[in-house]
């Protein structure tokens, strides 16, 4: 019974998917707002990175609502780290020169601090997701 909330068997997938879609939309809106209206500072960069990581987590839940929280968090972290490492190449810059909005997804320059922010933000998102799933499962009992 304790594992039920971790595997998602007791939380309806449709409800989790809807919550993830709403969260993803809100996080994207917040990220675009930070990008458009904030000065280019370390704080705005960290905020954007954290929102990017949470968006990756929410997208994972949206795609696989029955997946365990730790699995979704691991995939989101792998995505974020992979994108950051891709920035060590010229690929993101080349693609951004061709289609500027791609820079919002792939970034343009590697920063080791981003890796820390991604993992921390995903840990917070995963903890919140696990708490909500546990609460939802307990209410169903």
């Amino acid at each position: 019974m304790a594992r039920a909330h971790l595997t998602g068997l007791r939380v309806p997938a449709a409800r989790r998917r809807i919550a993830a879609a709403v969260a993803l939309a809100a996080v994207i809106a917040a990220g675009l707002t930070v990008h458009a209206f904030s000065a280019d500072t370390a704080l705005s960069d960290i905020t954007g990175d954290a929102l990017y990581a949470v968006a990756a987590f929410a997208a994972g839940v949206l795609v696989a609502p029955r997946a365990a929280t730790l699995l979704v968090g691991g995939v989101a972290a792998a995505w974020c780290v992979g994108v950051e490492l891709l920035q060590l190449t010229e690929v993101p810059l080349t693609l951004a020169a061709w289609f500027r909005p791609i820079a919002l997804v792939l970034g343009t320059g590697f920063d080791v601090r981003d890796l820390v922010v991604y993992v921390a933000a995903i840990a917070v998102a995963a903890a919140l997701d696990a708490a909500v799933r546990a609460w939802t499962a307990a209410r169903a009992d």
Side-chain angles (χ1 to χ4, degrees):
M1 184 133 139
R3 276 183 45 97
H5 70 88
L6 294 177
T7 62
L9 296 176
R10 307 231 22 223
V11 178
R15 185 179 301 159
R16 190 169 185 230
R17 181 173 273 145
I18 290 168
V22 170
L24 182 58
V27 168
I28 289 172
L32 291 173
T33 300
V34 168
H35 178 73
F37 299 110
S38 294
D40 191 16
T41 65
L43 180 60
S44 66
D45 184 51
I46 290 168
T47 302
D49 292 340
L51 290 168
Y52 181 86
V54 172
F57 183 87
V61 172
L62 187 63
V63 170
R66 288 188 174 93
T69 298
L70 289 176
L71 177 62
V72 174
V75 170
W79 167 265
C80 291
V81 168
V83 167
E84 194 66 27
L85 293 176
L86 183 65
Q87 293 170 16
L88 291 170
T89 72
E90 295 295 319
V91 172
L93 283 172
T94 302
L95 292 174
W98 173 70
F99 184 63
R100 186 68 189 140
I102 203 78
L104 296 173
V105 177
L106 297 181
T108 55
F110 177 81
D111 187 345
V112 72
R113 178 187 63 201
D114 294 353
L115 299 172
V116 175
V117 173
Y118 293 148
V119 172
I122 290 168
V124 170
L128 181 60
D129 181 58
V132 169
R133 291 177 88 180
W135 179 74
T136 304
R139 278 191 45 197
D141 287 342

